[in-house]
C-alpha cells in the first residue's frame, strides 16, 4: 500500500466526543483509522491492531510528549518518560502494588472501606453511587495505597478531578481549568510534604514510602509528580469501573441473577466493564522517527491520540462490541490498561478492589438495589470516560456490617 497523508476532520468537535465518541470512532475505524483531529491538535489512532502495534514500538511512539498537558499540570511524571528514566521511577513505586502485597496488605483495608461506606448510605434510601459510594471508595482506597492518611476522601476527589480536567483533557485551553488544576497540585504538594518526615522515619508498604526507600530513591520533585499522576488515574479508573459495572448489572436482570448466583463471575464483570467503557479513553504519544501507521505517513514530532475507547470496541476484534457480554472470548484481550512498558501499574489493585471486593459486597449486602426511576444516569468524556451519576434506590432494612 502506498502511504498517504492523513485526512483532517474539522467537523469533529471536542463537545461531540465528550457526549458520545463511539459513533465517531466506528466511522473512523472503517474509513480513516489514523486521522488528524484539529480540535485536539493530534492524530487519532482508533483500530485495535494499530494501538497494539504502537505499544509494541515505544522507540517510535514516545511517551515523552513535548508540550504535554499532564507535564504542565503535574510535573514530569513516569507516565511521560521513556526507557531507563521511566523504568527507574516505575520500579520505585511498584513494590506497593505487587499482587501479593495487594492481596495480603491492602485487601483487608479495601474490604473495611467498602463496608463502612455502605453503612453510611444504606439508611438514606435514595443515593447516587457516584458521589456516595464509588468516588469516596476509590479515594479512601487510594489514600491507603499512597500513604496519605492526612488527606480526606473529599479533598482527594476534588484534586483528582481538577488535575484530570487540566492535565488530561484541557485541549480547549480553558484558563479556569488551569487555575483549578494549579490549586490542586499545590494542595497535593503540601500533603506530601507533611507526610514525608514520618515515612522517612518509619517505612511502610505505601507507594510514597516505597519511593522514599527505593534502592535508587526518588527526588522530592519526582515523588510529587508521580503521586499526582497516581491520584489522577488511580482514583478515576476504579471509580468509573465500579459505576460502569454496577450500571450494566442493574440494567440486565439475567446478568444480575447469574452473577449473584455465582460470585466468581464478578471479575469477568470488571474486565468487561473496562472494555465496554474504557476509563482512560485516550492517551498521548509522540512520533520519534519517520514511520507509517495504517498506511499513513507520520513524521517526528507528530502527536498521537491513542484511542483505547475505540480499540476496545473494534468490530474486527470483538463481536457485537457495543454489547456488554461477560462471556465473550478473552482472546484477543481488551487493552483498557494499555500495553508495553507503560502497562497500568495499578492493574492488580483495581482488579481486586473492584472485581473481588466492591461489586460483590455491594450486591451481596443490598440484593434489592435498583436503578432510580426518577433520575437519569448521566455519562460523559472521551479522554476519560465514565458515568457522572448513578442514582439508585436502597430498600429499607439493609443491616449494617458486623465488624
Amino acid at each position: 500500500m502506498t502511504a498517504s497523508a492523513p485526512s483532517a476532520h474539522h467537523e469533529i468537535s471536542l463537545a461531540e466526543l465528550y457526549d458520545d465518541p463511539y459513533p465517531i470512532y466506528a466511522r473512523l475505524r472503517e474509513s480513516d483509522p489514523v486521522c488528524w483531529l484539529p480540535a485536539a491538535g493530534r492524530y487519532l489512532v482508533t483500530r485495535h491492531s494499530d494501538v497494539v502495534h504502537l505499544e509494541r514500538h515505544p522507540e517510535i511512539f514516545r511517551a515523552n510528549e513535548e508540550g504535554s498537558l499532564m507535564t504542565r499540570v503535574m510535573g514530569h511524571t513516569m507516565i511521560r518518560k521513556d526507557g531507563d528514566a521511566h523504568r527507574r521511577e516505575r520500579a520505585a513505586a511498584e513494590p506497593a502494588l505487587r499482587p501479593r502485597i495487594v492481596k495480603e496488605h491492602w485487601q483487608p483495608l479495601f474490604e473495611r472501606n467498602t463496608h463502612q461506606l455502605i453503612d453510611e448510605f444504606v439508611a438514606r434510601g435514595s443515593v447516587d453511587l457516584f458521589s456516595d459510594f464509588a468516588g469516596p471508595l476509590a479515594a479512601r482506597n487510594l489514600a491507603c495505597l499512597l500513604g496519605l492518611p492526612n488527606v480526606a476522601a473529599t479533598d482527594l476527589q476534588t484534586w483528582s478531578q481538577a488535575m484530570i480536567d487540566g492535565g488530561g483533557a484541557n485541549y480547549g485551553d480553558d484558563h479556569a481549568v488551569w487555575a483549578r488544576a494549579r490549586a490542586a497540585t499545590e494542595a497535593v504538594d503540601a500533603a506530601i510534604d507533611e507526610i514525608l518526615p514520618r515515612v522517612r522515619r518509619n517505612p511502610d508498604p505505601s507507594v510514597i514510602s516505597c519511593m522514599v526507600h527505593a534502592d535508587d530513591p526518588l527526588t522530592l520533585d519526582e515523588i510529587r509528580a508521580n503521586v499526582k499522576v497516581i491520584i489522577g488515574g488511580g482514583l478515576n479508573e476504579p471509580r468509573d469501573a465500579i459505576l460502569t459495572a454496577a450500571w450494566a448489572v442493574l440494567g440486565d436482570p439475567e446478568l444480575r441473577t447469574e452473577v449473584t448466583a455465582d460470585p466468581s463471575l464478578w471479575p469477568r464483570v470488571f474486565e468487561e466493564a473496562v472494555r465496554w467503557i474504557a476509563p482512560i479513553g485516550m492517551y498521548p504519544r509522540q512520533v520519534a522517527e519517520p514511520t507509517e501507521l495504517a498506511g499513513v505517513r507520520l513524521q517526528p514530532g507528530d502527536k498521537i491520540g491513542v484511542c483505547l475507547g475505540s480499540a476496545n470496541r473494534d468490530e474486527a476484534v470483538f463481536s457485537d462490541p457495543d454489547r456488554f457480554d461477560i462471556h465473550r472470548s478473552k482472546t484477543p484481550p481488551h487493552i483498557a490498561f494499555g500495553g508495553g512498558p507503560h502497562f497500568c501499574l495499578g492493574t492488580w489493585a483495581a482488579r481486586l478492589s473492584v472485581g473481588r471486593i466492591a461489586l460483590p459486597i455491594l450486591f451481596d449486602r443490598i440484593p434489592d438495589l435498583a436503578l432510580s426511576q426518577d433520575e437519569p444516569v448521566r455519562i460523559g468524556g472521551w479522554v476519560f470516560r465514565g458515568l457522572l451519576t448513578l442514582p439508585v434506590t436502597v430498600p429499607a432494612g439493609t443491616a449494617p456490617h458486623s465488624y
Side-chain angles (χ1 to χ4, degrees):
M1 178 185 294
T2 302
S4 62
S7 55
H9 284 266
H10 295 275
E11 80 284 1
I12 299 176
S13 71
L14 298 181
E16 288 175 302
L17 285 167
Y18 181 93
D19 289 341
D20 187 359
Y22 297 116
I24 296 170
Y25 289 155
R27 295 196 302 271
L28 294 178
R29 286 193 303 269
E30 180 179 5
S31 61
D32 209 0
V34 176
C35 69
W36 174 251
L37 179 63
R42 62 190 58 244
Y43 299 97
L44 297 189
V45 178
T46 54
R47 287 181 181 169
H48 187 281
S49 60
D50 295 324
V51 171
V52 171
H53 171 82
L54 180 152
E55 284 294 357
R56 287 175 177 170
H57 294 280
E59 74 283 1
I60 300 175
F61 302 97
R62 309 288 282 180
N64 191 11
E65 181 189 58
E66 297 171 5
S68 162
L69 300 185
M70 178 183 288
T71 302
R72 174 175 174 176
V73 169
M74 301 177 184
H76 202 178
T77 75
M78 70 175 90
I79 302 298
R80 291 292 163 265
K81 293 183 180 180
D82 299 286
D84 291 341
H86 168 256
R87 283 190 289 272
R88 170 181 168 268
E89 293 181 27
R90 184 181 175 101
E94 186 265 341
L97 297 162
R98 289 172 181 159
R100 182 180 63 81
I101 296 298
V102 168
K103 182 172 179 58
E104 294 179 1
H105 186 79
W106 302 120
Q107 180 170 344
L109 299 177
F110 294 167
E111 291 173 347
R112 180 201 65 192
N113 290 339
T114 302
H115 282 296
Q116 286 179 344
L117 274 165
I118 294 173
D119 286 345
E120 290 171 15
F121 74 67
V122 289
R124 297 206 295 274
S126 196
V127 301
D128 185 339
L129 288 182
F130 181 101
S131 56
D132 295 309
F133 181 63
L137 178 59
R140 291 185 187 188
N141 288 347
L142 185 61
C144 292
L145 279 170
L146 284 172
L148 289 174
N150 55 331
V151 176
T154 51
D155 289 336
L156 208 58
Q157 291 175 88
T158 299
W159 301 343
S160 176
Q161 194 60 54
M163 291 190 294
I164 284 173
D165 289 345
N170 195 21
Y171 292 102
D173 198 26
D174 186 320
H175 294 288
V177 171
W178 291 131
R180 289 195 298 272
R182 282 194 298 274
T185 61
E186 291 170 1
V188 174
D189 286 346
I192 294 170
D193 291 348
E194 182 182 343
I195 212 69
L196 278 177
R198 186 187 67 117
V199 297
R200 291 190 193 282
R201 294 191 305 268
N202 302 297
D204 60 42
S206 72
V207 170
I208 292 176
S209 182
C210 288
M211 290 175 175
V212 168
H213 297 284
D215 291 340
D216 188 356
L218 300 194
T219 67
L220 177 59
D221 285 345
E222 290 167 343
I223 292 170
R224 286 174 167 178
N226 287 306
V227 167
K228 288 167 191 167
V229 79
I230 294 171
I231 289 174
L235 198 155
N236 80 288
E237 291 176 57
R239 178 198 68 198
D240 294 347
I242 291 170
L243 294 167
T244 297
W247 183 40
V249 172
L250 289 169
D252 186 338
E254 291 185 8
L255 173 61
R256 183 171 185 168
T257 298
E258 184 179 15
V259 296
T260 54
D262 182 2
S264 70
L265 294 175
W266 281 113
R268 290 194 187 184
V269 174
F270 169 80
E271 299 296 340
E272 178 65 353
V274 297
R275 181 207 66 84
W276 192 48
I277 302 179
I280 296 182
M282 187 278 283
Y283 59 81
R285 289 290 183 264
Q286 183 166 311
V287 178
E289 59 187 66
T291 191
E292 292 181 18
L293 190 63
V296 171
R297 292 193 299 269
L298 297 171
Q299 299 299 328
D302 285 346
K303 294 186 177 182
I304 302 292
V306 185
C307 296
L308 297 183
S310 176
N312 276 336
R313 291 206 188 190
D314 191 336
E315 45 282 299
V317 174
F318 305 102
S319 61
D320 198 5
D322 294 332
R323 180 169 60 91
F324 192 96
D325 178 9
I326 67 169
H327 297 296
R328 66 175 64 252
S329 171
K330 295 181 181 179
T331 306
H334 70 73
I335 48 177
F337 296 114
H342 285 275
F343 182 77
C344 179
L345 189 59
T347 297
W348 308 113
R351 283 176 167 154
L352 180 83
S353 65
V354 178
R356 297 186 180 275
I357 297 175
L359 292 170
I361 289 177
L362 177 67
F363 281 86
D364 179 63
R365 288 197 55 191
I366 315 176
D368 294 322
L369 188 71
L371 291 173
S372 171
Q373 300 302 304
D374 301 320
E375 300 178 65
V377 171
R378 294 192 297 113
I379 186 169
W382 72 288
V383 177
F384 297 91
R385 187 165 181 83
L387 273 68
L388 307 173
T389 63
L390 185 55
V392 297
T393 58
V394 180
T398 300
H401 182 63
S402 177
Y403 294 94

